[in-house]
Amino acid sequence: MTIRHHPKDSLRLAYVAGQMDPATALIMATHLSLCAQCRAAAADDECIGGALLEGAEPMPLRSDALARVMARLGAPEAIHRTEPSADGTPAPLRAFLGHELSCVRWRRLGPRLGYVTLYRRGSLAMRLLRGAPGTEVGQHTHRGTEYTVVLRGGYSDESGNYGPGDFQIASADLTHNPVADVGEDCINLAVTDGGLQFRSRVQNVVASLFGF
Amino acid sequence: MLRRVAAFQDRQAFQELFAHFAPRIKAYLVRGGTASQQAEDLAQEAMLAVWRKAAQFDSNRASAATWIFTIARNLRIDMHRRERHPRFDPADPFFMPDSPDPADSALQTRQREHQLRKAIQALPPDQFRIVMLSFFSEKPHSQIAAELDIPLGTVKSRIRLAMMRLKTLLGDES
């Protein structure tokens, strides 16, 4: 599995610095679970955080701070281990869902597409999307930014081919028609800010009915 | 020292860690815009978490400063958000693909952190400032731009330049 499409440095940095909404943080954490290259880069980013902490001008605590903390020291926690996933669901996504990907109860959007909305806050929406092999989503562009990470299978559009772990950033300047690759169902996690704008009027009506 | 805390629940070692890191955590939080009283409380909570989670510290993966940075950051996120915030477990043994075996990587980690520290200090002041703000501030880049009175594009390009420069100073290809 070679991952060719990665989030930008600035996005990864915002994740590491802890300045991200929960939906974008989940899609980043999911990509990191799948991408050794970005994990290494994120570890470097955390080093930067550590170096900045080390170099910060110390700011004294209240005089009783140490005593208060010492009085509260209890038994240390046992090492927490992430349990293996039965079907390869990335751990952050599984923790968010509360179950494996294979237990998702899909809502149908026509005969070949399925989805579940996982999170919604203002114009921001996070969904799992599933397309049968060869399914076309239809020409559309984006009112805001859309991040997609492939979990199973793959898809292709005007900008390239995306396989498991790949991270696509789509915005208003990209009009595309993603087509699920042949073979197996394509399952993606997507975070959309602002919704989609389809070329087909019928699709726009359907999309707005379903809250896309 | 952190390893002494982890292995022996060494209170003396913990006090030394506290003396070094608690005032730095407080500074990190205050510089990021947290009110002084809250920063004080959070710094204490962070040090308690260091004690509780010490067994999870892995010196092959990160230095004490880096690990404590992630603890303070996570507490800051939790304080601001009632919703559960997703994060990934750096020790997840089921990463795909596997992370490289950390044999003999404690030394490599230390060397890399040392190089990074030197590289950060060598950044031009405007880039250093933006890296600092993007790590310490709770605010998104758009607000940082507004406060520094520079366009968002400039914030992003300074971050990009700083990251490129850090990579060059580290001698990475990418």
Side-chain angles (χ1 to χ4, degrees), chain B residues 6-153:
Chain B
F8 312 112
Q9 298 175 35
D10 183 333
R11 286 173 173 249
Q12 181 59 42
F14 178 77
Q15 291 193 17
E16 288 169 40
L17 271 184
F18 188 99
H20 184 76
F21 282 109
R24 287 176 166 80
I25 297 171
K26 185 175 173 182
Y28 153 68
L29 294 165
V30 169
R31 288 202 70 153
T34 306
S36 172
Q37 180 59 51
Q38 248 183 340
E40 167 91 27
D41 293 345
L42 217 55
Q44 293 184 24
E45 290 304 319
M47 290 311 295
L48 268 173
V50 166
W51 171 264
R52 278 203 314 273
K53 294 176 191 291
Q56 289 171 35
F57 172 65
D58 178 356
S59 60
N60 290 325
R61 218 181 288 284
S63 69
T66 297
W67 187 68
I68 292 173
F69 162 74
T70 64
I71 286 187
R73 172 203 62 194
N74 291 351
L75 278 175
R76 189 183 68 179
I77 295 172
D78 293 343
M79 180 184 68
H80 285 284
R81 292 187 188 282
R82 300 242 171 82
E83 341 172 61
R84 208 153 42 103
H85 200 82
R87 53 180 67 113
F88 88 116
D89 171 11
D92 186 346
F94 305 99
F95 282 145
M96 298 159 273
D98 291 347
S99 291
D101 189 22
D104 167 57
S105 64
L107 181 67
Q108 281 173 20
T109 301
R110 266 201 302 280
Q111 283 172 346
R112 191 154 182 90
E113 295 221 350
H114 179 68
Q115 283 176 309
L116 257 171
R117 225 163 274 185
K118 279 204 313 202
I120 292 167
Q121 282 157 6
L123 284 178
D126 59 339
Q127 288 177 21
F128 176 82
R129 191 169 155 74
I130 218 83
V131 169
M132 177 92 159
L133 274 173
S134 59
F135 267 90
F136 279 26
S137 174
E138 291 155 2
K139 294 160 194 153
H141 293 157
S142 53
Q143 273 186 47
I144 294 176
E147 275 169 34
L148 295 180
D149 201 20
I150 53 177
L152 178 60

Side-chain angles (χ1 to χ4, degrees), chain A residues 11-18 20 25 28-29 32, chain B residues 73 86-88:
Chain A
L11 200 61
R12 198 191 58 240
L13 212 61
Y15 171 81
V16 167
M20 224 170 223
M28 277 301 298
L32 288 170
Chain B
R73 172 203 62 194
R87 53 180 67 113
F88 88 116

Side-chain angles (χ1 to χ4, degrees), chain A residues 125-144:
Chain A
M126 173 164 65
R127 296 183 185 89
L128 281 169
L129 302 162
R130 187 169 89 169
T135 307
E136 288 191 31
V137 174
Q139 281 287 350
H140 67 271
T141 184
H142 313 83
R143 294 195 188 94

Side-chain angles (χ1 to χ4, degrees), chain A residues 105-135:
Chain A
R105 300 170 75 165
W106 296 95
R107 296 186 64 176
R108 301 196 79 89
L109 191 66
R112 302 174 65 78
L113 279 169
Y115 78 100
V116 210
T117 302
L118 302 178
Y119 179 91
R120 206 179 246 294
R121 182 62 41 98
S123 59
L124 200 70
M126 173 164 65
R127 296 183 185 89
L128 281 169
L129 302 162
R130 187 169 89 169
T135 307

Side-chain angles (χ1 to χ4, degrees), chain A residues 148-194:
Chain A
T148 305
V149 69
V150 181
L151 302 169
R152 301 270 163 80
Y155 67 91
S156 302
D157 70 2
E158 287 76 351
S159 70
N161 178 260
Y162 298 82
D166 276 329
F167 191 101
Q168 184 176 28
I169 303 168
S171 51
D173 55 13
L174 176 71
T175 301
H176 67 163
N177 178 21
V179 181
D181 293 346
V182 291
E184 58 174 323
D185 280 3
C186 173
I187 300 182
N188 298 331
L189 177 66
V191 174
T192 312
D193 192 1

